[in-house]
Structures are given as structure tokens and as C-alpha cells.
Amino acid sequence: MKYKTIRYGFAAAVLLAMGCSSSRQHNFSEKNRLPIDRKVDSVLKLMTLEEKVGQMNQYNGFWDVTGPVPKDGQAAKKYENLKKGLVGSMLNVRGVKDVRALQKIAVEETRLGIPLIFGFDVVHGYKTISPIPLAEAASWDLEAMKKSAEIAAAESAVAGLNWTFAPMVDISRDARWGRVMEGAGEDPYLGSQIAIARVKGFQGDKFNEFRLAACTKHFAGYGFAESGRDYNTVDISDNTLHNIILPPFKATVDAGVLTFMNSFNELEGIPATGNSYLQRELLKKDWKFDGFVVSDWGSLGEMIPHGYAKDLKDAAMKAANAGSDMDMESYGYVSHLADLVKEGKVSEDKIDDAVRRILKVKFELGLFDNPYKYCDENREKEYTGKKEFHEGVLDMAKKSIVLLKNENSLLPLKKQGQKIAVIGALANDKTSPLGSWRIGADDNTAVSFLEGMANYKGNQITYEKGADVALGEPRFMLETKINTTDKSGFEKAIAAAKQADVVIMVLGEHGLQSGEGRSRSDITLPGVQQELLEAVYKVNPNIVLVLQNGRPLAIPWAAKNIPAIVEAWHLGTQSGHAIAQVLYGDYNPSGKLPMTFPRNVGQLPIYYNYKNTGRPSTDNPESVFWSHYTDIENTPLYPFGYGLSYSKFEYSNLKLDTKTLHKNGKIKVSVDVKNNSTVDGKEVVQLYIRDLIASATRPVRELKGFELTEIKAGQTKTVTFTINEKTIEFYSARKIWEAEPGDFQLFVGGSSMATLQADFNYSN
């Protein structure tokens, strides 16, 4: 492919003399990093202070870049800075034509010709949409999640993008927070394994034209926003920060993630964007992260209303000194950072460090070798919406479904001779199943539930809406208005239910009721849906409830009364096909909950790995002086790790090859799992450990291993785990990660409520 020579003055000659090669194997060893470090330094030496600051400036897409040049306003200022080489990255510019147009300006019209990096929120797909990340986490299938990220990377990369603001690895215990849909749930171990899989899926082993730089976000504590209210204050202990929140972040550093994003919240009174401990001491020094940190949208400027910065200049100074390398849409760096250096308030060494990190990522992506490597229109046409992508997201969707209840084996449905009434507006919705954070996708492109069911011809299906969930057409940037009054469709729905052998009710949240800025104080079925469910139940209790939602819901009435409940989340483009195949038994559900379902919102935050407290219970059943509610039991509605199958699994014969774990030693744990049914199935075998006595109190149990295994009907499989010192390490009272000597309990089973138990001791 021919393109104009990159015009960065003497830098081109310097790089050629050093043997600037094509996009290299993604290897983080010191031996292979040195050539890139030398190339980065050669460019850095040629840059003015203003050009360095420009690399730390990221702009949002601003005008029709293939059309006329803007004459005035903010877009004109951005365009002027772009031509001066004062922009390092763009976000929300997508499509090869627009990406190429902007890259052409940066490469061919600026003094040094340094290429731009183009970022976008490729969270669970670009045009072809996978299930929301929380749903994918319910699969506990790391290889499938890696493949899902590969699909998302490929389809967005051929659209000109080379950087995604994903994965989000925030641990959260509060379903009120709308962004739980974007993460992996409540557990740091599961979250860490999923984070690694997603980074590897996005980035791959080699940065070719089908891979993206990943971005771990949000650093750190965002998922612990008070009251589950987005952007709210975070106030947590050091123990919680290190043992619960940080492990997935550290896991992505070890996996080679190229970028980090800081978060909107404060931590210990300091906004994350200006938090030197998080960014300089922990991330860059202790963890040796050598990529760069980008702010979240406007978070640098938001330190002003936080009450931490006086004005934008003060905010720019504090963010740069704290280690925030790139400013997303605050305009603080490009407006003030050069002056701050000249005034001695920010050292140029810190600027150089930030720019080195940014340039290094651009070299990693191969943008200096070929700035237009992501700009092939033929490739964009060939790969967008590719058949293999749809097959991949369908596979992911089926694996993400969780069977919560199945009394009297109501499921799977019979394929012949039944009258089925389908009720619920979501059953006929082709946009809501795409979920939140799918801004590259087009509306009305999901397979609806009705369309999926239509593939099965043997039953008579009648559809009635019953009631709308949302009013109007929900939009990404606007509040979703919920139907709380219109019940005009109830009568027809009830009439259809009376005539049916089985009723399938598709209820839940609209896809834009979860996500950023979409916290809910009431996490029951929105609007009039609960009334609809109860009204239909009165005339026909033979109901399969299919839930479509982006967070755990409180559904105590349904859990008590409805015989079959399927958690189907927001499953993306192939949603309807996936659900229908599960309901008809062509796919045996194997999903397990990555987040606890509460009995009501008053239990939040609720999570399985809680502390025991000094008064966990009492021998006196009438006593009130213990840790409990007076109006509801402490247990969840559905616990972490829970999920049923059309198979029935039985656990037995738990064995440890030794009862003592020695320093540098290991224990082999084995358990027999039998499929005591006539249906082949998959089971997620889960290992939990409790540290009984420690220098700092430990949870009642913690996930320390899991194995997704396929077991044939009637077959017994022996599943094994290995425990070593690393398994029992935690951030102790001494403020270090260590394994402390003592006694431990071990649990194995199909959920966090596993009862099969063994004991062991650690001695160093």
C-alpha cells in the first residue's frame, strides 16, 4: 500500500537509521522493548514543549471531517490544534473514511507527522453485538469471552479504530449502580480471570489490523460509589481497596494491557485523576506499568466541582503531577500545561514521561510504520457484520443465559402440539436486547425473542404486548421514561394466557435502563410489569418468566410463585435465537450468576464474600441483638455462582492429598461430579476457601478456583484443583500481600453456597 511519507522532520531519518520495522510481536520482555524505547526517545528529542503537550491532548470527534473545514467555534479550534500537531488522540471518530481524513492531517500536514490513535467505547461489540459484559461473565467461560473480545476488536479495527476503552474491571456489590452491566460482577478472582481474557482478546499476541489496544478502567474504586449512584463519592478501607478492588487491575497489567483510564470518583478525599498514589506510586512504580493513563471524559476539569482544584489550570497541574498522562475532553493540558512547565509548577521530566508512554503505545500498534494500517475500506466492507461474527456472538449469548428456576421440569418446552402465549413488549423489541454501551451498532438490528421462537414451527404461538416498558424511543444521552400508568393491553394479554398451555412472559429492563448514569433506587421490574405478571398468573400459573435486564433484579414474588425463570440479560444481536434455543432445549443452560440477586433493595450492597462480624447469629431465636434485619432474612434471593441446568449434578468424594500446606508446597484437591440425568450438560465446579484466623478479618469464603466442565449423561468426572501459597495470599494488616500460617476451610460445589467441606493447615 502506498502512502505519503510521514513528515516528522529529522525523526524519519533517525527512525530509518535505527531500522524501524513493521508491527512487531507483542512481547514485553526488556530485550524486545529496547528498540522501541530508543525510537521513542529519538522522536521525543525533536519535539517542542508545546508538541509534547499536544500528545497529551485527546479530542472528541467534532465535525464532518470529509467535508468543509470548520470556520468558527470549538470545532475550528480543535482543527487548528490538529494542524499544529497539538492533538495526540481522537475518540468517537469511526469509519475508515473519517479516520483516514484525520490521520492524513496529523501525518502529512503537521511538523513532525506523529500519527493519531483513535479510541472508541467498544465495550461488547461494534456493529455485531455480544451480550453485555455482566451477561458474558455469567458464562464463566474464559475462552468464549476472549473470543467475544476478538470479534469486537476485529470488527471495530476494520472501521479504522485502534484503541478501545475496555475492559471495565470495576468490582461492584451494588446492583443499583447502572454500570454493573459493564463489568464482571462482585468477585475479585472471577473478575481478574475475565479481565485477563478480555485484554488478550482485544490485543492478541500481535497487533495486526484486527487488534486494538485495550484500556483497563476505571482506576479505581468507581464500583463502590455510595448508594450505587453514579459519579458519587467512594469511601472505603485500605483492606477493601487492596483485597477486593485492585486485583483485576493488577491482573491486566500482568497480562500486558497498554492503557489505563482513571475514574470519576474520589478516593480518600482525592479525585482519582489527581491521585498520585494510585497513578504514580502504585500503578507505575510498584506494578511497573509502562503504558499510559487517560482521564475519563472531562474528569480533569471535574476536579473543580469536586472542590480539589481552583480552576482548570490548577486541575491540569494536579493531574499531570499525579500521573494522568492524557486529558480526555477537558482542554486543561493543551490550554495550560506548557505555561505550568515554564512556571516551574510541573517538571518537564513528567511531561516527557507521559509522552514517552503515549508514543510507545503508538509504536506498539505499528502506527509509525504505517499510520493508515487500519484504513482499508475494502477490508471494512468485507468484515463488518461478517457471518462468523454473528455465529460467535450467538455462541456467547447461549452460554450467558442462567436458569434460575425450573419447577416440575417445565423447561425445556415441547416442540410439538402446544399453545404458547408470549407476553411482554420486550419480546418484540429489536433494539433493547442490544443493551447499553453499543454506540457503534444500529437500532433494530437484534433478533427479537419472537423472531427466535419463529424458527420452531411445531407450536401455535400467540403474542400480546401487555404493556410497554419504556415510553417513546429511549436514547443513549437521555433519561429513559418508564410506563407507570398505561395498562390498556392487560385485557388482551390475559385473554391470550387463558387459552395457552404455557405462557412465556418476557419482562425486565429496557436496554438503556442500565449503563453509565443509569442508577436505580428501585430494582424491581420497572413500571407496570409486576402487575401484568400477577394478573396473568391469576388465570394461568404455567409461566416461563424470561428476564431481560442489565443488573440483578429483586423479584421475590416471581421467585416464590413462577415455576420457571430464565435470566437472559441483554444478549446482543443474536438474542432471540439464543433464548429460543435454550427454552426448547437445543442448548442446555450452564450459566452461573456473577453477582448476587437480592430479595429487596434494602439488602444492598449484598455479596457472598462478606465478613462474619462479632455477632453473626444467636442461640436465642427471639433475640434481636445480632446482625440481621427484623423484616427479611439475611440470605440472598439467588446467590453468587448459582445457576441450574437441564442436567442434575451431584458432588461427592472431596479429597485433599495432604492436610498441610507447607511453604513452597501445594495441595491437590479432587471432587467427583456426577451428571445424574439423561441430558448431557456443563457444570461450573467452584472452589471456595475461608481463612479462619488472620491478622485482618477475612471473608466467610472466597472464590479461589473454578472449572467449566462438560459431563455426559450418567457420567462421573473427577475435577481437580491445586492450592498453594499464592491461593491463600491476601493484603494483610502489615500492608503487604502474604500467606499467613493458620487453619483454613475449603468448600467445593455448584455455587457460593457449596456445602461439601474439608479442612487444611498452612505452615511456613
Side-chain angles (χ1 to χ4, degrees), residues 135 141 394 604 651:
D141 189 326
L394 174 60
L604 298 177
Y651 288 75

Side-chain angles (χ1 to χ4, degrees), residues 150 164 331 401 445:
E150 289 174 355
T164 175
Y331 318 119
I401 293 172
T445 55

Side-chain angles (χ1 to χ4, degrees), residues 671-688:
V671 64
D672 290 341
V673 185
K674 181 179 181 180
N675 182 347
N676 193 14
S677 75
T678 59
V679 183
D680 297 346
K682 293 179 182 177
E683 173 71 339
V684 181
V685 183
Q686 301 162 46
L687 169 72
Y688 296 86

Side-chain angles (χ1 to χ4, degrees), residues 24-42:
R24 69 175 182 84
Q25 180 81 12
H26 187 81
N27 188 317
F28 287 90
S29 71
E30 187 64 25
K31 178 180 178 182
N32 285 327
R33 291 209 63 82
L34 280 175
I36 281 187
D37 289 339
R38 290 171 61 190
K39 294 171 189 176
V40 167
D41 286 341
S42 73

Side-chain angles (χ1 to χ4, degrees), residues 485-507:
T485 57
D486 184 5
K487 307 175 191 175
S488 58
F490 276 30
E491 187 175 339
K492 288 184 178 180
I494 292 168
K498 286 180 179 178
Q499 303 301 316
D501 299 312
V502 179
V503 179
I504 301 175
M505 301 196 69
V506 185
L507 307 177

Side-chain angles (χ1 to χ4, degrees), residues 322-338:
S324 186
D325 300 313
M326 184 178 283
D327 174 19
M328 180 193 289
E329 277 293 299
S330 282
Y331 318 119
Y333 284 174
V334 72
S335 301
H336 300 292
L337 206 47

Side-chain angles (χ1 to χ4, degrees), residues 271-330:
T273 309
N275 196 305
S276 181
Y277 168 71
L278 282 176
Q279 297 172 118
R280 288 211 183 275
E281 294 181 39
L282 185 65
L283 179 61
K284 295 178 178 178
K285 181 183 175 183
D286 293 350
W287 294 356
K288 297 179 171 41
F289 172 67
D290 63 355
F292 71 83
V293 180
V294 63
S295 77
D296 207 337
W297 183 291
S299 66
L300 186 149
E302 290 174 11
M303 291 195 291
I304 302 168
H306 265 294
Y308 185 69
K310 179 181 178 181
D311 51 30
L312 191 59
K313 185 175 182 179
D314 188 36
M317 178 190 72
K318 288 176 175 174
N321 283 331
S324 186
D325 300 313
M326 184 178 283
D327 174 19
M328 180 193 289
E329 277 293 299
S330 282

